[in-house]
Structures are given as C-alpha cells and as structure tokens.
Amino acid sequence: MENFYYNIPTKVYFGKGQIVHLGECLRACGSSVLLVYGGGSIHKNGVYEAVTAHLRAAELPWRELPGVEPNPRCTSVDKGAALCRAHGLNVILAVGGGSVIDCAKVIAAAADYDGPSWELMEDRTRVRSVLPVVSVVTAAGTGSEMDSGAVISNWETRQKLSIGRVDMYPRYTIMDPTYTFSVPPRQTAAGTADMISHIFELYFSRTPHTLMSDNLCEGLLRTCIASGPAALQNPEDYHARAELLWASGWAINGFLRSGRLGAWSCHPMEHPLSAWYDITHGVGLAILTPRWMRYILQKDASSAAKLAAYAVHVWNADPALGRQACALYGIDRTEQFFYEILGLPNSLGALGIDDARFVQMAQTAAAEGLSNAFVPLTAEDVAAIYRACL
C-alpha cells in the first residue's frame, strides 16, 4: 500500500425527504443561484417543483440553464458561465445525474475566466477560482456528486477531456433514492455498468497489499450486481435504488483509490467513443470491459491472478478450477450480467459504429496514461480491443 492523503469536503444528506435541507445548504454557499439541469425529466417527476419551492422559501433568486447534454458539452458550460457573470450568480445548483453535475462543476470554474471554458479543460492551471456547487442527485452512476472531477466534450474537435480540483467537490449533496424511481431502464442499467467500471478501474491495480480496499471493492461490486437487476425489475424498490445511489458515490469518491497507484484502463478507451459517436458512457464501458479483460488475460499471464480473485470473491467461482479457468469464468459472468441481465448492447456494431476511426481513437486513448495501467496498453492494443467489440 502506498502513502496517501484522503479528504472529502462534501457533506451528504441521504434519504427520503432530505430536500428539506436544500435552502440552508445553498444559503451557506451564496446568495444567488444558477440552477442547472438536463432534458426536462425533473419537470415530469416533480423534482423541479420541489427544488424551486425551497429556493423560494429560502428567498434565493435564481436563473436557469436547462438542456445539459448526456455527454455535457463545452458550449453548455460557456452558456452557464455567461449567466453567472451577467447576473452575479455565486452558487451553482446541479439537479440531475452525473452529466449535469459535471457541467455545473466546470461552470463554477469558468465563471471567473475570460476565455472559452474549453481552455480550462486543456490547461486546468488557468482556473482562478471555483464557485461553490450544490447537487441534488436524480440518477445513480457517475458518482460525480461525491468527487472532484468532471468530464466535458467538445463536439467541434471530437474531444472528451477531464478536469479535477479539490475545490470542485460539491459542498453539499442531497441524495434521495425516490428521485431515481423514474430513471428509465436503459439509463439504470448504464449507470450500474458505469459504477461497476469505476470500481474495476481501482480494483485492477498492480499495487500490492491492498487487502482492505480489495474487500471493499468486491463488496461494492456484489452490491451493484444484486441491486441493479432489482431496480430494473421494480423501479420503485426504495432499497435497491438506495443501494445503487450510495454505491455510486463510494465507487469514485477516492476512498477505494487510497494507497493505490496506476492509470485507469477502460475509461480512456471509452472517452473517444462517446466523443465521436455521442454514445451513452456506461453502454460504451459495458461493451469494452469484458473485451479488455479477455485481451489482458492473453497479453499478460500475470493478470490471471487478479481476474481469478475477482471471479472467486464476486461470482463465487471454485478456486479449485485454477487461476486461468476462474479468470475466464469471471469474464463470462461479467458479459452475462451486462448483456443478458442488464440488457445492454453487446457490441459497437449494435450502436452503428464501424472501424473507420479506430486507429485515431486508439491513439487518443493511449495518450491518456495507458502505459501505466494494470496491464500497459499501446495504441495498437487499444485498436485491437476496439475491433474485438464489433
């Protein structure tokens, strides 16, 4: 285990009815609000009415930025930052899933910047200050409500970049599982795949002696595997929704990463896919992950030990089968879970994606630190994984 420093400044109100704390959270952060949300589902499920009622009760003026994209774009960030500057707004309220919260975080950083927000994505040292962010979560998946990072797309350049700073953690997060009841099945499934992938990115590490973290990863994976299908079967199963929502935050809030070194593997490969084709992030990860597992097992025999441990401790594989057989069993069960149980697409071809840009996308992915991943990958390796996904 490596040395680390751990701190999460986000204060969390979790459970039914916790929206009652919204006014006090916002007033602790500022005096005028930019309300950021997505495509309008919060109008249908009653969340918008609840949020705005508390804004009025707290006597907080606000402006709105609706329509944030599922893969949030820098153009939306620019619009939000311009609203903050024009109206002197000093706190950002994100109501939605990870895309909305990511957009809000970068708006908070761009409000005090004179140029295009994309310049901050290219060089985070240009950020001068970050407005406080408060989030009300309506979908489980990215965990952005409890981390300091954000991912933004530039549709003109077909780039998808990440940014992260300690002052980009939401100051307060309200997590009411009932607000996720109306999440459609496909989005519920994709969110489950996303949080599983976040855990994989940390679990599959070459750092030795991470027993506590490994056990936590395996427990969270089992939680997702049990709760995702339960939420699909009964969308208003409060306990399943609560388990997913809480697991989503802990999958990526830095706790599992403590003491570990190494770059992520599947996220750098997925980002070029959604940057070019605007696919759902969790769907892309579900397609890539089992192919990545099979590829690294063939490329580096030493990966079998961790893949086998995953199969034994998460999928109850029989250790007597041996490492290789256990590893393959775990990969098979992962595929079955993503494609048969969650019902997610099982290939890039099913999304209408061909191999025309694989070489270009692979070069982009490889440049994101894949030489330091669990099994180091070159651009040629990434292109081969993409082809295996067709």
Side-chain angles (χ1 to χ4, degrees), residues 13-345:
Y13 288 97
F14 189 98
K16 186 177 182 178
Q18 294 283 36
I19 195 70
V20 297
H21 296 286
L22 180 60
E24 65 191 76
C25 294
L26 290 168
R27 293 196 68 84
C29 296
S31 58
S32 55
V33 178
L34 176 66
L35 171 58
V36 182
Y37 55 96
S41 62
I42 65 170
H43 286 285
K44 300 174 183 177
N45 60 20
V47 176
Y48 177 86
E49 287 75 13
V51 166
T52 54
H54 285 284
L55 285 169
R56 284 190 291 270
E59 299 181 337
L60 288 166
W62 79 90
R63 299 279 176 161
E64 298 185 11
L65 177 69
V68 173
E69 305 84 359
N71 289 302
R73 300 180 186 178
C74 58
T75 49
S76 291
V77 175
D78 290 335
K79 291 176 184 176
L83 284 170
C84 290
R85 291 190 292 268
H87 301 285
L89 309 178
N90 54 23
V91 56
I92 316 298
L93 172 58
V95 181
S99 297
V100 169
I101 301 171
D102 278 11
C103 186
K105 290 176 181 177
V106 186
I107 289 171
D112 187 30
Y113 184 69
D114 297 329
S117 63
W118 190 250
E119 293 180 354
L120 304 181
M121 302 302 298
E122 294 176 319
D123 180 6
R124 69 191 64 186
T125 64
R126 296 186 180 192
V127 177
R128 294 193 290 254
S129 64
V130 179
L131 293 175
V133 175
V134 174
S135 68
V136 176
V137 190
T138 64
T142 72
S144 189
E145 64 275 5
M146 286 180 70
D147 79 0
S148 62
V151 178
I152 300 295
S153 297
N154 186 325
W155 196 241
E156 291 184 359
T157 63
R158 294 298 197 273
Q159 289 176 282
K160 192 172 185 178
L161 299 180
S162 62
I163 185 173
R165 290 168 51 97
V166 171
D167 48 7
M168 289 175 68
Y169 276 99
R171 303 284 182 88
Y172 296 90
T173 283
I174 294 172
M175 305 172 75
D176 184 337
T178 66
Y179 286 4
T180 69
F181 284 179
S182 62
V183 175
R186 177 72 166 264
Q187 189 177 347
T188 297
T192 302
D194 192 9
M195 65 183 83
I196 285 175
S197 181
H198 289 158
I199 301 165
F200 282 159
E201 301 284 25
L202 304 169
Y203 181 74
F204 289 101
S205 163
R206 290 196 178 275
T207 303
H209 308 297
T210 54
L211 179 61
M212 173 185 163
S213 180
D214 283 352
N215 286 335
L216 291 168
C217 287
E218 291 159 0
L220 281 169
L221 288 168
R222 291 193 298 271
T223 298
C224 295
I225 289 165
S227 302
L232 288 175
Q233 183 175 4
N234 178 8
E236 296 190 8
D237 182 335
Y238 180 88
H239 299 293
R241 291 292 192 181
E243 296 286 2
L244 286 175
L245 191 56
W246 195 224
S248 172
W250 282 97
I252 199 174
N253 69 8
F255 191 63
L256 300 180
R257 191 182 188 98
S258 299
R260 296 176 183 269
L261 296 175
W264 288 16
S265 298
C266 290
H267 276 70
M269 291 190 286
E270 195 287 325
H271 285 166
L273 281 169
S274 49
W276 274 99
Y277 299 102
D278 206 24
I279 65 173
T280 301
H281 178 57
V283 172
L285 290 169
I287 293 170
L288 283 165
T289 298
R291 276 70 172 210
W292 165 75
M293 288 177 166
R294 291 192 189 280
Y295 190 88
I296 64 170
L297 182 61
Q298 184 176 20
K299 178 181 172 68
D300 185 345
S302 68
S303 67
K306 198 59 177 278
L307 285 163
Y310 159 65
V312 170
H313 297 137
V314 176
W315 293 110
N316 299 316
D318 183 355
L321 294 172
R323 284 183 176 178
Q324 187 76 9
C326 278
L328 290 170
Y329 177 83
I331 297 170
D332 289 343
R333 291 300 302 273
T334 304
E335 287 183 328
Q336 181 187 32
F337 181 73
F338 284 155
Y339 310 142
E340 297 179 23
I341 297 177
L342 293 185
L344 292 169

